Amino acid sequence: MQDREARVVIVGAGFGGLTAAKTLAKAGVPFVLIDRRNHHLFQPLLYQVATAALAPADIAVPIRAVLSPGRQKSHIEILMDEVTGIDRTARTISTQGGATIPFSHLILATGSDYAYFGNEDRWAPHAPALKSLDDALNIRRRVLLAFERAETTSNVALRQRLMTFVVIGGGPTGVETAGALAELARATLARDFSNIDPRTARVVLVEALDTLLNAYPRRLGAYTRKKLEQMGVEVITGRPVEDITTDGVLLEDRSILTANVFWCAGVKATPVGEWLGVETERNGAVRVGPDLRLEDDPHIFVIGDASSVDDESGDPLPALAPVAKQQGRYAAETIIAEARNHPAPDPFRYRDWGTMATIGRAAAVGKFGKLEVTGFPAWLLWGAVHVAYLVGFRNRLSVMLNWLWAWVSYAKGSRLITGPDEAAIDALDSGRAVEAELDKTVTNLEER
Ligand SMILES: Cc1cc2nc3c(=O)[nH]c(=O)nc-3n(C[C@H](O)[C@H](O)[C@H](O)COP(=O)(O)OP(=O)(O)OC[C@H]3O[C@@H](n4cnc5c(N)ncnc54)[C@H](O)[C@@H]3O)c2cc1C
């Protein structure tokens, strides 16, 4: 590994890194692509895996299958490894697997992680977040196990706790997850149990700010709230979470007893700033110039969620898939221009085609410049855009067929409880212990 020739190195095969890789491959520029996972993940549909609507393979594709290094004319290398540091003087990156890889240019596209506002250790074990396929499968398991446990217990309080689902964060992911959970309970599972009525499940969406979908116009946030409430979701806004424990969620004015809390709030960038030894924004993102490079090193690009760059009006660009994709293409085109002795492209400019969020199976909201769309037409558009953005024909076809089937039948085909999950089993299988503790817990929470 030490004798490697310095090449373009891309870290991360998400939206930004994979787009950069495809652009370089097309131009015949050799590169090394490193990702800790072997697949590219379409995160916008993760909530559908978590709520049993889609299977993991529908929204992920092996990186090697996308780039097929063996079939490319230019030299492409794909490494499955985790980057742990960068030596800017030696111009190398180091990995968990012990490799030291030299780079001529570096594109850092490692995305973001969830942040629990400084309460990672205490809250994360009780409130899993949705970032990877494993996270989605863990949440799916917890949700389905909760109904199974509720079916087998005769303790009414425990049953209520098991059938209460709290989603924290009223951004697009929280809204989509809460809507999908309500549909799962009220439609898909409605007639599947003998001792419980899944339609009585309580789905609560908690947002610290006063409105939902804060990046959208207020009208769309209000519309979203109304739609969710019509679907049976209890929406609580203006209430930051004060604590999350095994018993449930504590807000300023109330506590919610639940065995199921899902975290969809707060994001922080991956530790790229630490690796580079540069100052970062409060969310950990690395500030880059308008050409997406470090100001003191034109050979290092930081793109996507890991970076911070302003739009023309001086506001930071949002952490969205299209931003990362456009930045990936721009970084690669800059490198290609340099390799061909062409002038560098003009500064990066984000072309905003609009943003959308879905609310269940028949409504969505979208903002396209000044145009705001809601309802079923918005939902159709949301579906078309997401299918078009998926990588791979198989995935597009599979997602379309799944959605069509779910639409006509209300069925969700991926309702399988698989894999050992100590956390879920600890939380749910300790039914008897919980029953004994329950009265004490209720009293404690009421006293607080
Ligand atoms: C649940 C969810 C829903 C979302 N919904 C939407 C939506 O509807 N619309 C939208 O536009 N955006 C949405 N987003 C945001 C969007 O997914 C991100 O903005 C986008 O993925 C950022 O792209 P990226 O290339 O910067 O990072 P990512 O796509 O996250 O890719 C980062 C890659 O880097 C790899 N990586 C990380 N650290 C290392 C390391 N140390 N070593 C090696 N590899 C590493 C990861 O494995 C990953 O493959 C959503 C995000 C989430 C989590």
Side-chain angles (χ1 to χ4, degrees):
M1 286 273 185
Q2 284 289 13
D3 298 331
R4 283 164 173 278
E5 191 192 330
R7 265 180 290 165
V8 178
V9 173
I10 305 169
V11 187
F15 286 101
L18 193 64
T19 308
K22 283 166 107 178
T23 311
L24 290 177
K26 219 163 153 192
V29 175
F31 63 88
V32 184
L33 173 62
I34 308 171
D35 199 296
R36 61 186 173 194
R37 298 193 292 236
N38 82 330
H39 53 269
H40 166 80
L41 177 63
F42 193 80
Q43 294 173 44
L45 290 179
L46 262 178
Y47 80 95
Q48 296 219 352
V49 174
T51 53
L54 292 175
D58 294 334
I59 65 159
V61 58
I63 300 163
R64 292 186 189 283
V66 180
L67 292 168
S68 302
R71 269 194 271 144
Q72 301 279 351
K73 291 202 184 75
S74 59
H75 190 57
I76 296 178
E77 199 176 349
I78 297 168
L79 301 176
M80 186 180 156
D81 205 343
E82 175 148 0
V83 169
T84 50
I86 298 171
D87 184 334
R88 287 180 64 183
T89 315
R91 307 196 80 63
T92 55
I93 61 162
S94 45
T95 72
Q96 185 80 44
T100 303
I101 301 167
F103 62 85
S104 59
H105 294 79
L106 186 56
I107 301 179
L108 294 165
T110 46
S112 54
D113 282 326
Y114 271 95
Y116 288 78
F117 310 125
N119 298 296
E120 269 72 9
D121 293 346
R122 257 172 349 113
W123 293 1
H126 311 302
L130 191 54
K131 188 68 192 164
S132 66
L133 281 179
D134 286 338
D135 295 337
L137 291 175
N138 175 31
I139 290 176
R140 183 178 84 182
R141 201 153 47 226
R142 281 172 177 252
V143 170
L144 297 176
L145 264 174
F147 284 104
E148 295 297 340
R149 300 293 173 221
E151 172 81 350
T152 57
T153 182
S154 52
N155 181 309
V156 177
L158 176 61
R159 187 179 281 174
Q160 275 172 359
R161 181 172 170 260
L162 289 165
M163 287 176 62
T164 299
F165 300 87
V166 180
V167 178
I168 298 174
T173 304
V175 163
E176 290 172 346
T177 306
L181 282 171
E183 262 172 10
L184 183 73
R186 306 236 182 318
T188 312
L189 300 179
R191 283 184 290 273
D192 284 9
F193 293 88
S194 323
N195 302 319
I196 58 165
D197 180 355
R199 288 169 301 183
T200 61
R202 192 177 165 208
V203 179
V204 188
L205 176 62
V206 178
E207 164 59 43
L209 300 176
D210 287 334
T211 52
L212 297 180
L213 298 181
N214 281 289
Y216 291 66
R218 283 185 88 84
R219 188 180 79 85
L220 297 187
Y223 174 87
T224 302
R225 179 181 194 131
K226 195 179 86 195
K227 277 280 161 198
L228 281 174
E229 285 173 346
Q230 282 170 0
M231 291 166 67
V233 176
E234 208 177 306
V235 180
I236 301 174
T237 50
R239 294 282 176 275
V241 167
E242 296 199 338
D243 204 4
I244 306 173
T245 66
T246 36
D247 304 321
V249 177
L250 187 70
L251 306 179
E252 184 189 281
D253 59 343
R254 74 196 92 172
S255 52
I256 308 168
L257 285 178
T258 173
N260 318 288
V261 186
F262 305 121
W263 186 261
C264 299
V267 174
K268 63 168 191 272
T270 36
V272 172
E274 264 171 53
W275 300 340
L276 294 169
V278 295
E279 292 278 319
T280 62
E281 306 285 9
R282 270 181 53 205
N283 67 355
V286 172
R287 187 98 206 140
V288 287
D291 55 1
L292 311 182
R293 313 187 217 205
L294 289 189
E295 255 146 35
D296 62 350
D297 193 334
H299 294 101
I300 300 182
F301 296 80
V302 189
I303 61 169
D305 286 6
S307 70
S308 164
V309 63
D310 294 341
D311 65 14
E312 287 130 37
S313 51
D315 296 322
L317 286 175
L320 288 175
V323 175
K325 283 180 77 128
Q326 291 178 31
Q327 292 184 332
R329 190 169 307 112
Y330 178 92
E333 281 168 356
T334 307
I335 293 170
I336 295 164
E338 206 173 288
R340 293 177 180 167
N341 286 322
H342 292 170
D346 290 337
F348 175 74
R349 223 181 116 200
Y350 173 53
R351 303 192 75 177
D352 184 359
W353 300 106
T355 44
M356 306 196 78
T358 179
I359 321 158
R361 56 184 246 125
V365 291
K367 180 172 99 56
F368 305 92
K370 290 203 165 55
L371 182 70
E372 294 170 13
V373 286
T374 55
F376 190 60
W379 184 83
L380 281 178
L381 195 59
W382 172 90
V385 168
H386 280 71
V387 167
Y389 260 84
L390 273 168
V391 176
F393 177 73
R394 193 208 80 89
N395 288 14
R396 287 193 195 120
L397 191 67
S398 166
V399 167
M400 272 195 298
L401 289 175
N402 268 300
W403 283 351
L404 196 64
W405 179 242
W407 214 85
V408 291
S409 68
Y410 275 98
K412 296 199 182 207
S414 298
R415 277 158 36 206
L416 309 176
I417 300 174
T418 55
D421 179 358
E422 301 313 325
I425 289 165
D426 282 353
L428 301 172
D429 206 22
S430 56
R432 279 178 213 87
V434 173
E435 278 174 46
E437 285 291 310
L438 205 62
D439 289 341
K440 206 170 80 194
T441 304
V442 176
T443 320
N444 284 347
L445 281 169
E446 277 170 358
E447 279 168 4
R448 288 170 81 173

